Amino acid sequence: MAKNLINVGLVGLGTVGSGVVKVFQTNLDRIEERVGGKIKIKRLVDKFEDRFKELNIENLKFSSDYNDILNDPEIDIVVELIGGIEPARTICLSAMKKGKHVVTANKAILARYWDEIMQTAQNSKVDIYLEASVGGGIPVIQGLHDGLASNNIQAIYGIVNGTTNYILTRMAEGKDFKESLKEAQKKGYAEADSSFDIDGIDSAHKLAILASIAFNTTVDLKDIYTEGIANITHHDFKYAKEEFGQVIKLLAIAKAENGKFEVRVHPTLIPSDHLLAAVDDVYNAIYVVGDIVGPVMFYGQGAGQMAAASAIVSDIVYIARNIYSGVAGKVPSVYYETKHLSAKNIVNIEDIKSRYYLRFTVLDQPGVFATISGILGKYNISIASVYQTERKSGNKVPVIMMTYETLEKDIRIALAEIDNLSITKEKTLLIRVEKGI
Amino acid sequence: MAKNLINVGLVGLGTVGSGVVKVFQTNLDRIEERVGGKIKIKRLVDKFEDRFKELNIENLKFSSDYNDILNDPEIDIVVELIGGIEPARTICLSAMKKGKHVVTANKAILARYWDEIMQTAQNSKVDIYLEASVGGGIPVIQGLHDGLASNNIQAIYGIVNGTTNYILTRMAEGKDFKESLKEAQKKGYAEADSSFDIDGIDSAHKLAILASIAFNTTVDLKDIYTEGIANITHHDFKYAKEEFGQVIKLLAIAKAENGKFEVRVHPTLIPSDHLLAAVDDVYNAIYVVGDIVGPVMFYGQGAGQMAAASAIVSDIVYIARNIYSGVAGKVPSVYYETKHLSAKNIVNIEDIKSRYYLRFTVLDQPGVFATISGILGKYNISIASVYQTERKSGNKVPVIMMTYETLEKDIRIALAEIDNLSITKEKTLLIRVEKGI
């Protein structure tokens, strides 16, 4: 019997989940054109019935038990949007084992259980799509894998967290960190507990997913060196711009070079005239370098209800069109080629080489500069340029330096020694400079 | 019998064709990983045997007759890279009718024979992929259709011609048009006869393809209003930047609004801080606005041997993976949904509304400004600002104006009248300003 309706089960009616319902309400004609047949959301599951009532929709089955979706044989596609680890992981795995295709935006389970989830999809011969897990509505995962399939990816540089990018944009305008964070929270871009964003953890999750796909490997979250933005001041933006023509962005970086693999998230100096430097506010962009195509950039809204819903519904359309054509689950997972998975030789952060922006906060007295540069010299760190501001607060003064390329290990030892001096009044700030970009 | 080798036939060994051969030589491992099986280029066809000899490859069949590919039952995928109308159109159509999948970068046949080509693919139940026809290596066609499938596309703004973007970038730096064009030719970015690029025709071809896909319609090349860059001077860049904070880009624009559809290619003023303004040199970018996702931008090298080859080989990978999975040709063409094709009510250029940048070249004498503004006022054109430079050449002087939103018809009548005055020494330059971007 030819299929004449595709049923979707949606778990999680939070911001994004209710966005998905809205897209089905407003764009159903468009969706069914693209799908090539009828499709509907059959069941909604959430812990809170209020969320369902607020949606104010008729003829839709609501339940607080996700098993009502898993056990409904009519449901073809399960959309998991509750986030967190459990029961999200169980829902995705169980759905696939029951032969249902899955769409998820859950970066936490993808970054932690990549192998398990992808293997379950392959073994169960179902499709799993996850476009909304990175870069909100930007079709970067598909582009990265399919559109650049002929390339060996050499590097990924991503601005993948809207909250931190909003804060850094405000700081570049001269506002301080606290004020910028408050503004982000006021606008709903940052949670009350914003540490997941601010500390770079959200970006690391997304990098794990991007790098696993781009390099056909499995990147473990714990192997990603991760550093947040909380130690940067708006003065650093001023120095970076005026002295070095650079801006500061929180970048998620993955690079493969000479058999070595670097995966790291940290504030990074990039040239002001680079396209990534123009990505402001809550926007995201993923800049990918392929060995054939050169650089390609994907840009758009990285977060927010409708951006994420756009990606989720596009994934649903994709699966549904395949179901109607009788090909869903028949093409090996585009994200995961078991046969060719490669273990990557991940470089420890201490072994990377970079130029470094350094901001020392030291006593404003004779001989200080000689002391600092003496220690740097001892560890073979060459100074490319120095900037000492005339601004003084008490008797502390910032000294800004740009080094030539240096081994991170050497910088760390040198800074530990410098930070231990009595002339040093605050922990020295280090920001890596991305030269290859 | 399970298939154990996919054979590709390649017609056209020009720059891009030999790039495709190179990618197969350098990245075959990667390609076969992604394909999930063996794949090879079995036959090469070109008019010039020298091109084959230059490639210096063994075990590859060369012929000067494309029928050797069409009539080879072992060939699964035909890659058409000869460009132009015939025999390219015949090759693509015949290949599909013989059950072969097609990859093409040929914007000329796609822009002219969209319906015929897409219908042939559907009737023959084969796949046609055309990523390289727009934006070189940028995976924009796939992103536009699949990645944004849940959206009604509202607008496309594309920098889709690398040659003109290179020239405009140089002009923004203060070089004049002729010098910039020469530089582009010297670097191999512009042909000796560059009119196809300079006059916007290449961009119009690409817009026809993008708009047909994004709006699920068929845009006829002749319905695209097309204007080139040859009348702009480097002084206009200076005025645009200093007086209005804008840059000039050759944009391919498609917009759907209130049942009306605009498709046009012309130099356009956009704000200097817009992301498209940062797209320089031979790079391309396509800025798409979806009703759900908001703005999304795709950026990369829009031309060049390897960028185009990246897209073509990625298309080949895509089809080959589907062949091995037994699903090739089974999913309705992603670019063309016959059932839902919509005719678009294309707005005549005279009926669009825009703000206009105007540069009058007039006699430097009293009363001139009153005369011009009097004529503009007669046709209900309001002036937002005026800038009269002090620079004089002979007794001619440029007067720069920005209008408020005006009907193009009115501007045209007014300018015809002004250009007919004895005080007017050169045809007035008009550049449209894109406000919605």
Side-chain angles (χ1 to χ4, degrees), chain A residues 59 68 81 92 100 116 120 136 153 158 161 179 230 260 269-270 284 307-308 322 325 327 338 347 370 399-400 403 437:
Chain A
N59 304 320
D68 290 344
L81 297 174
C92 289
K100 299 180 191 308
E116 183 184 29
T120 304
I153 302 298
N161 180 273
E179 191 186 351
K260 286 180 185 169
L269 258 69
I270 58 173
N284 280 195
N322 285 346
S325 305
V327 310
T338 332
V347 180
V399 175
I400 313 300
T403 73
I437 205 164

Side-chain angles (χ1 to χ4, degrees), chain A residues 23 26-27 30-34 36 137-139 142-153 213-214 216 275 278-279 283 287 291-301 306-307 309-311 313-314 317-318 321-322 325 327 330-332 334 337 339-340, chain B residues 23 26-27 30-34 36 137-139 142-153 213-214 216 275 278-279 283 287 291-301 306-307 309-311 313-314 317-318 321-322 325 327 330-332 334 337 339-340:
Chain A
V23 177
T26 58
N27 280 13
R30 171 67 168 176
I31 292 167
E32 294 193 333
E33 268 179 40
R34 296 257 142 153
I138 309 167
Q142 189 187 35
L144 191 58
H145 193 285
D146 288 347
L148 306 179
S150 58
N151 288 261
N152 288 300
I153 302 298
I213 293 170
N216 197 31
L275 199 60
V279 175
Y283 280 87
Y287 189 89
D291 64 342
I292 307 294
V293 75
V296 167
M297 192 176 94
F298 303 87
Y299 164 92
Q301 288 179 38
M306 297 318 273
S310 167
V313 179
S314 296
V317 167
Y318 203 74
R321 190 172 58 193
N322 285 346
S325 305
V327 310
K330 293 197 177 162
V331 182
V334 290
E337 302 138 68
K339 267 191 275 182
H340 306 285
Chain B
V23 177
T26 57
N27 281 11
R30 171 68 167 176
I31 292 168
E32 294 194 332
E33 268 179 37
R34 296 256 142 152
I138 309 167
Q142 188 187 36
L144 191 57
H145 193 284
D146 288 348
L148 306 180
S150 57
N151 289 260
N152 287 298
I153 302 298
I213 292 170
N216 197 31
L275 199 60
V279 175
Y283 281 87
Y287 189 89
D291 64 342
I292 307 294
V293 75
V296 167
M297 193 175 95
F298 302 88
Y299 165 92
Q301 287 179 39
M306 297 317 273
S310 166
V313 180
S314 296
V317 168
Y318 203 75
R321 190 172 57 193
N322 285 345
S325 306
V327 310
K330 293 197 176 163
V331 182
V334 291
E337 302 138 66
K339 267 191 274 183
H340 305 285

Side-chain angles (χ1 to χ4, degrees), chain B residues 2 22 30 68 124 173 190 200 210 224 251 253 324 406 423:
Chain B
K22 276 188 208 167
R30 171 68 167 176
D68 291 343
S124 312
E173 291 166 359
L210 286 175
I224 299 178
L251 289 194
I253 300 172
Y324 273 124
T406 303
I423 53 164

Side-chain angles (χ1 to χ4, degrees), chain B residues 32-263:
Chain B
E32 294 194 332
E33 268 179 37
R34 296 256 142 152
V35 165
K38 292 279 167 198
I39 183 166
K40 73 165 196 178
I41 300 179
K42 186 184 174 190
R43 283 182 186 275
L44 295 173
V45 165
D46 199 281
K47 280 186 296 187
F48 307 107
E49 193 169 357
D50 284 356
R51 288 178 169 177
F52 176 67
K53 286 183 179 154
E54 274 166 23
L55 286 173
N56 199 21
I57 34 175
E58 290 172 10
N59 302 319
L60 235 168
K61 292 185 185 164
F62 173 81
S63 149
S64 60
D65 182 1
Y66 61 78
N67 286 303
D68 291 343
I69 282 179
L70 295 179
N71 294 329
D72 183 343
E74 286 188 346
I75 285 182
D76 307 285
I77 303 170
V78 174
V79 182
E80 182 279 305
L81 298 174
I82 52 176
I85 304 294
E86 284 299 348
R89 173 173 155 269
T90 299
I91 292 169
C92 290
L93 294 174
S94 304
M96 291 193 283
K97 286 175 188 163
K98 285 169 182 284
K100 299 179 191 308
H101 307 284
V102 167
V103 175
T104 179
N106 191 321
K107 50 194 179 284
I109 59 168
L110 290 167
R112 281 185 184 76
Y113 301 99
W114 185 254
D115 280 327
E116 184 183 28
I117 291 169
M118 293 300 146
Q119 272 166 17
T120 304
Q122 284 201 345
N123 296 340
S124 312
K125 299 199 186 308
V126 297
D127 290 334
I128 178 161
Y129 282 88
L130 43 99
E131 189 60 81
S133 64
V134 181
I138 309 167
V140 58
I141 287 182
Q142 188 187 36
L144 191 57
H145 193 284
D146 288 348
L148 306 180
S150 57
N151 289 260
N152 287 298
I153 302 298
Q154 296 175 321
I156 296 174
Y157 304 95
I159 295 173
V160 289
N161 180 272
T163 308
T164 45
N165 202 48
Y166 182 87
I167 293 170
L168 295 178
T169 304
R170 296 291 82 76
M171 290 173 75
E173 291 166 359
K175 290 184 180 163
D176 73 16
F177 174 75
K178 277 186 189 167
E179 190 185 352
S180 305
L181 172 60
K182 246 182 223 165
E183 197 179 309
Q185 283 165 332
K186 207 171 148 189
K187 295 208 167 184
Y189 298 148
E191 311 282 330
D193 176 7
S194 56
S195 58
F196 193 71
D197 295 316
I198 300 299
D199 296 344
I201 304 165
D202 174 74
S203 296
H205 280 80
K206 290 164 177 169
L207 182 62
I209 297 168
L210 286 175
S212 295
I213 292 170
F215 299 96
N216 197 31
T217 184
T218 305
V219 175
D220 198 318
L221 209 50
K222 73 169 168 33
D223 288 332
I224 299 178
Y225 175 79
T226 305
E227 200 180 287
I229 63 166
N231 295 322
I232 305 170
T233 70
H234 60 291
H235 302 299
D236 294 310
F237 282 88
K238 192 169 169 284
Y239 306 143
K241 185 178 174 190
E242 291 176 4
E243 301 306 314
F244 311 115
Q246 307 261 321
V247 300
I248 306 169
K249 291 290 185 188
L250 182 66
L251 289 194
I253 300 172
K255 287 200 276 194
E257 210 175 1
N258 306 324
K260 286 179 184 169
F261 191 50
E262 297 181 17
V263 276

